[in-house]
Amino acid sequence: MKVFFPNSAWVKTRERLVLKGGRFAKIDLKVRYGVIIHPKLGPILIDTGYTEEVISGTKRGVMLDLYARVLRPRLNKAEQPKAVLARMGYGPEDVRYVIVTHFHADHVSGLGQFPNAQFIVDGAAYKHLRSTPRRGNLRHGIFTELLPDNFSERVIELCHLPEADPGYGLPVGHDIFGDGCAVAVSLEGHAKGQFGILMTLNGSPLLYAVDVQWLACALTEGRIPGWPSRLVADDFTAYKHSAAIVADYIKQGHTAVFCHDPETSAYDYLPETIAK
Ligand SMILES: [Zn+2]
């Protein structure tokens, strides 16, 4: 199994908003998504990052248009999901699964590009999304127009997958492919039902910790930002708990990848080293 993380886009933010005691200066956050090349199932995506649907999609409502104007993501055309897959000889129709870690726009933007994919989701988060009025979802950065029209028919809920203990002090989760190579672990707090993925590569663990923090150093240096994360978090107590779990995992000497960290990761996408 191969796993790597392309960068779909950059978004500017002030460092102090994402790092306690950080500078006032603006930094470029990445917006990663994951690609798993599974030996039996082929290419599988972990989220999609930002895609053109957020910036110029015709289905966008007024609020999504406003969101894009305020955040102004700059798409990385070379590392958009379809471009990355094409370089490996795959078309969008070859993707059978997209693992949706949570429903924020920068994670689901391109789901509509994969006509044959089923979507692996946290069932409670999806139920909450469906039962929440549109305005409530918007307040949490969820734009339902980004989901394909037949999304509900293509959903696989984690709770229907076998339970698995990922080890490393992480909570018991669900074995996504039934072969133990990727376990979904709950990392609640940032968004309802957010989950990370513990993968095992050549005997070593790799945790995709999604949006538990923007910057890894906020965890390793004890510099979790205060009020901005409280403002953004779905549940601030759970947010701090998930941060502590991931900080402990990193302290054990294991590798974690975050969606937005500008620092280069050993698992970032390098076209020259990824062959089909
Ligand atoms: Zn998020």
Side-chain angles (χ1 to χ4, degrees), residues 79-102:
E79 297 192 21
Q80 285 288 293
K82 281 198 281 193
V84 168
L85 291 169
R87 235 169 267 135
M88 301 183 72
Y90 296 114
E93 66 284 355
D94 295 322
V95 176
R96 287 166 59 187
Y97 300 102
V98 182
I99 302 167
V100 182
T101 62
H102 63 293

Side-chain angles (χ1 to χ4, degrees), residues 4 9 12 25 28 58 69 99 111 145 170 207 250 261 275:
F4 56 90
K12 275 199 188 305
D28 273 321
T58 51
R69 283 170 200 267
I99 302 167
L111 292 182
E145 66 262 45
L170 299 167
L207 176 66
I250 294 172
D261 199 327

Side-chain angles (χ1 to χ4, degrees):
M1 186 169 91
K2 286 182 197 143
V3 180
F4 56 90
F5 292 86
N7 176 37
S8 68
W10 295 272
V11 179
K12 275 199 188 305
T13 189
R14 296 203 185 278
E15 189 184 69
R16 66 161 54 163
L17 293 180
V18 292
L19 185 67
K20 192 180 201 171
R23 296 166 299 158
F24 189 67
K26 286 192 170 177
I27 57 171
D28 273 321
L29 294 178
K30 290 181 176 175
V31 185
R32 291 183 177 84
Y33 64 96
V35 179
I36 297 174
I37 306 296
H38 189 280
K40 294 203 177 115
L41 303 170
I44 290 156
L45 298 183
I46 307 170
D47 303 326
T48 68
Y50 276 132
T51 58
E52 62 203 9
E53 285 81 355
V54 153
I55 293 164
S56 55
T58 51
K59 284 170 69 185
R60 296 180 315 154
V62 175
M63 293 309 287
L64 182 51
D65 181 51
L66 185 65
Y67 167 96
R69 283 170 200 267
V70 171
L71 288 182
R72 290 195 286 173
R74 287 152 22 244
L75 292 190
N76 180 6
K77 294 228 163 75
E79 297 192 21
Q80 285 288 293
K82 281 198 281 193
V84 168
L85 291 169
R87 235 169 267 135
M88 301 183 72
Y90 296 114
E93 66 284 355
D94 295 322
V95 176
R96 287 166 59 187
Y97 300 102
V98 182
I99 302 167
V100 182
T101 62
H102 63 293
F103 289 101
H104 283 165
D106 51 337
H107 296 261
V108 304
S109 167
L111 292 182
Q113 297 181 7
F114 304 98
N116 299 327
Q118 286 188 283
F119 305 116
I120 297 164
V121 305
D122 177 90
Y126 183 48
K127 188 173 173 197
H128 185 264
L129 177 153
R130 277 181 301 169
S131 61
T132 302
R134 185 174 161 76
R135 204 185 304 162
N137 278 324
L138 290 175
R139 212 173 51 227
H140 289 284
I142 293 171
F143 302 90
T144 47
E145 66 262 45
L146 290 172
L147 303 180
D149 293 337
N150 59 356
F151 187 81
S152 63
E153 296 155 31
R154 297 163 64 187
V155 155
I156 298 173
E157 297 185 5
L158 282 179
C159 59
H160 295 138
L161 303 177
E163 277 199 0
D165 182 355
Y168 310 104
L170 299 167
V172 169
H174 295 275
D175 183 352
I176 298 178
F177 306 120
D179 57 7
C181 69
V183 177
V185 292
S186 172
L187 294 173
E188 284 279 358
H190 165 74
K192 201 162 283 299
Q194 174 180 258
F195 62 92
I197 303 162
L198 192 280
M199 291 164 279
T200 307
L201 297 165
N202 305 320
S204 298
L206 165 65
L207 176 66
Y208 183 45
V210 202
D211 291 356
V212 161
Q213 275 300 301
W214 289 279
L215 311 184
C217 66
L219 288 179
T220 55
E221 298 172 10
R223 298 171 69 186
I224 293 177
W227 68 265
S229 24
R230 196 179 286 263
L231 210 66
V232 174
D234 170 65
D235 175 340
F236 194 61
T237 305
Y239 174 86
K240 285 191 293 186
H241 179 67
S242 294
I245 288 172
V246 176
D248 183 55
Y249 164 90
I250 294 172
K251 216 179 278 173
Q252 293 171 48
H254 304 312
T255 305
V257 172
F258 296 83
C259 179
H260 299 297
D261 199 327
E263 290 290 323
T264 303
S265 151
Y267 289 92
D268 279 348
Y269 171 61
L270 293 170
E272 53 279 15
T273 61
I274 309 283
K276 184 168 179 179

